[in-house]
Amino acid sequence: MLSSVSAGQPYNKLYKKYFPKGAGSIFTFELKGSAQEAREFTEKLKLFSLLANVADVKSLVIHPASTTHSQLNEQELLEQVSSRTLSDCPSARAYRRYHYDLEQAF
């Protein structure tokens, strides 16, 4: 089993407990354009739901600037995440259609 949390790291024991078969993939990328365009991109996706709990059994996408990091002021946001950053987590079921959905959203 490949582990994304190596044996010497503090969360290794929890990782093995909650993900005995390994964890799913989370892809993070930054779009060109504005924060508004990043948000609109998430709304065009058909297979992914816009939710904050990535690494679920569903195909999910998150726009941190408007969800998990929305309470930050502009300076704090710049220090932590771009307003154009998106993270997505394709479910195993939808993985074959993953690229199609991203392409049609562009």
Side-chain angles (χ1 to χ4, degrees):
M1 171 181 85
L2 294 175
S3 172
S4 62
V5 180
S6 65
Q9 293 181 322
Y11 295 106
N12 181 267
K13 192 173 184 177
L14 289 173
Y15 175 84
K16 287 182 177 181
K17 177 181 177 181
Y18 292 110
F19 302 104
K21 296 181 181 182
S25 299
I26 297 176
F27 302 96
T28 300
F29 53 96
E30 189 171 308
L31 295 177
K32 292 180 182 179
S34 67
Q36 180 61 31
E37 289 170 313
R39 177 67 181 197
E40 289 169 1
F41 176 85
T42 65
E43 293 168 357
K44 292 178 187 175
L45 293 168
K46 297 177 181 173
L47 297 177
F48 294 85
S49 300
L50 180 61
L51 296 170
N53 56 328
V54 292
D56 202 329
V57 295
K58 299 174 248 161
S59 294
L60 306 174
V61 65
I62 186 170
H63 179 232
S66 64
T67 55
T68 58
H69 292 66
S70 63
Q71 76 283 3
L72 302 178
N73 65 43
E74 197 170 319
Q75 182 59 39
E76 292 170 326
L77 187 61
L78 288 172
E79 292 170 0
Q80 296 186 35
V81 65
S82 164
S83 63
R84 301 178 321 269
T85 298
L86 298 175
S87 293
D88 62 62
C89 177
S91 73
R93 229 179 23 201
Y95 191 76
R96 291 186 180 127
R97 297 175 290 169
Y98 168 72
H99 289 289
Y100 168 76
D101 196 25
L102 288 175
E103 286 177 7
Q104 68 81 28
F106 280 111

